[in-house]
Short mmCIF file of all heavy atoms in Angstrom, two decimals:
data_model
loop_
_atom_site.label_atom_id
_atom_site.label_comp_id
_atom_site.label_asym_id
_atom_site.label_seq_id
_atom_site.Cartn_x
_atom_site.Cartn_y
_atom_site.Cartn_z
N ARG C 357 -5.41 35.25 74.84
CA ARG C 357 -5.13 34.02 74.08
C ARG C 357 -3.90 33.32 74.65
O ARG C 357 -2.98 33.96 75.17
CB ARG C 357 -4.90 34.35 72.59
CG ARG C 357 -6.17 34.71 71.83
CD ARG C 357 -5.86 35.06 70.38
NE ARG C 357 -7.08 35.42 69.66
CZ ARG C 357 -7.81 34.57 68.95
NH1 ARG C 357 -7.44 33.31 68.86
NH2 ARG C 357 -8.88 35.00 68.33
N LEU C 358 -3.90 32.00 74.50
CA LEU C 358 -2.80 31.20 75.02
C LEU C 358 -1.65 31.13 74.01
O LEU C 358 -1.86 31.29 72.80
CB LEU C 358 -3.29 29.79 75.35
CG LEU C 358 -4.45 29.69 76.34
CD1 LEU C 358 -4.92 28.24 76.45
CD2 LEU C 358 -4.05 30.23 77.71
N ASN C 359 -0.47 30.87 74.51
CA ASN C 359 0.70 30.74 73.63
C ASN C 359 0.66 29.36 72.98
O ASN C 359 1.34 28.42 73.40
CB ASN C 359 1.98 30.92 74.45
CG ASN C 359 3.20 31.02 73.56
OD1 ASN C 359 3.10 31.32 72.37
ND2 ASN C 359 4.37 30.75 74.14
N GLN C 360 -0.19 29.25 71.94
CA GLN C 360 -0.40 27.98 71.23
C GLN C 360 -0.32 28.20 69.73
O GLN C 360 -0.77 29.23 69.21
CB GLN C 360 -1.76 27.38 71.59
CG GLN C 360 -1.90 26.96 73.03
CD GLN C 360 -3.27 26.39 73.36
OE1 GLN C 360 -3.45 25.74 74.38
NE2 GLN C 360 -4.27 26.65 72.52
N ALA C 361 0.25 27.22 69.04
CA ALA C 361 0.27 27.20 67.58
C ALA C 361 -0.50 25.97 67.11
O ALA C 361 -0.25 24.86 67.59
CB ALA C 361 1.71 27.16 67.06
N LYS C 390 12.24 29.40 77.71
CA LYS C 390 11.23 28.37 77.50
C LYS C 390 9.81 28.91 77.51
O LYS C 390 8.91 28.33 76.90
CB LYS C 390 11.37 27.26 78.55
CG LYS C 390 12.72 26.53 78.50
CD LYS C 390 12.98 25.93 77.12
CE LYS C 390 14.34 25.23 77.07
NZ LYS C 390 14.65 24.74 75.69
N GLU C 391 9.59 30.06 78.18
CA GLU C 391 8.23 30.63 78.22
C GLU C 391 7.80 31.17 76.86
O GLU C 391 6.62 31.41 76.62
CB GLU C 391 8.16 31.74 79.26
CG GLU C 391 8.98 32.97 78.97
CD GLU C 391 10.42 32.85 79.46
OE1 GLU C 391 10.81 31.74 79.90
OE2 GLU C 391 11.15 33.85 79.39
N LEU C 392 8.75 31.35 75.93
CA LEU C 392 8.41 31.82 74.58
C LEU C 392 7.94 30.68 73.68
O LEU C 392 7.36 30.92 72.62
CB LEU C 392 9.62 32.49 73.93
CG LEU C 392 10.12 33.80 74.55
CD1 LEU C 392 11.32 34.32 73.78
CD2 LEU C 392 9.01 34.85 74.57
N ILE C 393 8.18 29.45 74.10
CA ILE C 393 7.84 28.31 73.25
C ILE C 393 6.33 28.06 73.30
O ILE C 393 5.77 27.81 74.38
CB ILE C 393 8.57 27.04 73.71
CG1 ILE C 393 10.09 27.26 73.65
CG2 ILE C 393 8.17 25.84 72.86
CD1 ILE C 393 10.89 26.11 74.23
N PRO C 394 5.65 28.12 72.14
CA PRO C 394 4.21 27.84 72.14
C PRO C 394 3.95 26.34 72.20
O PRO C 394 4.81 25.54 71.81
CB PRO C 394 3.74 28.41 70.81
CG PRO C 394 4.93 28.25 69.92
CD PRO C 394 6.15 28.46 70.80
N LYS C 395 2.78 25.97 72.67
CA LYS C 395 2.38 24.58 72.58
C LYS C 395 1.88 24.32 71.17
O LYS C 395 1.07 25.08 70.63
CB LYS C 395 1.27 24.27 73.58
CG LYS C 395 0.82 22.82 73.55
CD LYS C 395 -0.26 22.54 74.59
CE LYS C 395 -0.67 21.07 74.57
NZ LYS C 395 -1.71 20.77 75.58
N SER C 446 -8.72 30.26 71.25
CA SER C 446 -7.85 30.46 72.41
C SER C 446 -6.37 30.41 72.05
O SER C 446 -5.51 30.42 72.94
CB SER C 446 -8.16 29.40 73.48
OG SER C 446 -7.89 28.10 72.99
N TRP C 448 -2.85 31.60 69.39
CA TRP C 448 -2.31 32.77 68.70
C TRP C 448 -1.89 32.49 67.25
O TRP C 448 -1.99 33.37 66.40
CB TRP C 448 -1.10 33.32 69.46
CG TRP C 448 -1.43 34.45 70.41
CD1 TRP C 448 -1.19 34.50 71.74
CD2 TRP C 448 -2.05 35.70 70.08
NE1 TRP C 448 -1.63 35.69 72.28
CE2 TRP C 448 -2.16 36.45 71.27
CE3 TRP C 448 -2.55 36.26 68.91
CZ2 TRP C 448 -2.73 37.72 71.33
CZ3 TRP C 448 -3.12 37.52 68.95
CH2 TRP C 448 -3.21 38.25 70.15
N PHE C 449 -1.40 31.29 66.95
CA PHE C 449 -0.81 31.05 65.64
C PHE C 449 -1.43 29.83 64.95
O PHE C 449 -1.85 28.88 65.61
CB PHE C 449 0.70 30.85 65.77
CG PHE C 449 1.41 31.97 66.47
CD1 PHE C 449 1.84 31.83 67.78
CD2 PHE C 449 1.63 33.18 65.82
CE1 PHE C 449 2.47 32.86 68.45
CE2 PHE C 449 2.27 34.22 66.47
CZ PHE C 449 2.68 34.08 67.79
N SER C 535 7.49 34.33 68.01
CA SER C 535 7.43 34.16 69.46
C SER C 535 7.80 35.45 70.19
O SER C 535 7.42 35.64 71.35
CB SER C 535 8.37 33.03 69.91
OG SER C 535 9.73 33.39 69.74
N ARG C 542 0.55 41.59 67.80
CA ARG C 542 -0.26 40.40 67.51
C ARG C 542 -1.72 40.79 67.27
O ARG C 542 -2.36 40.30 66.33
CB ARG C 542 -0.16 39.41 68.66
CG ARG C 542 1.22 38.80 68.86
CD ARG C 542 1.22 37.74 69.95
NE ARG C 542 2.55 37.21 70.19
CZ ARG C 542 2.81 36.13 70.90
NH1 ARG C 542 1.82 35.44 71.45
NH2 ARG C 542 4.06 35.71 71.07
#
Side-chain angles (χ1 to χ4, degrees):
R357 287 178 181 267
L358 302 175
N359 189 21
Q360 294 179 164
K390 298 303 179 185
E391 66 274 7
L392 294 180
I393 301 174
K395 181 178 182 180
S446 63
W448 265 123
F449 305 104
S535 69
R542 294 185 183 192

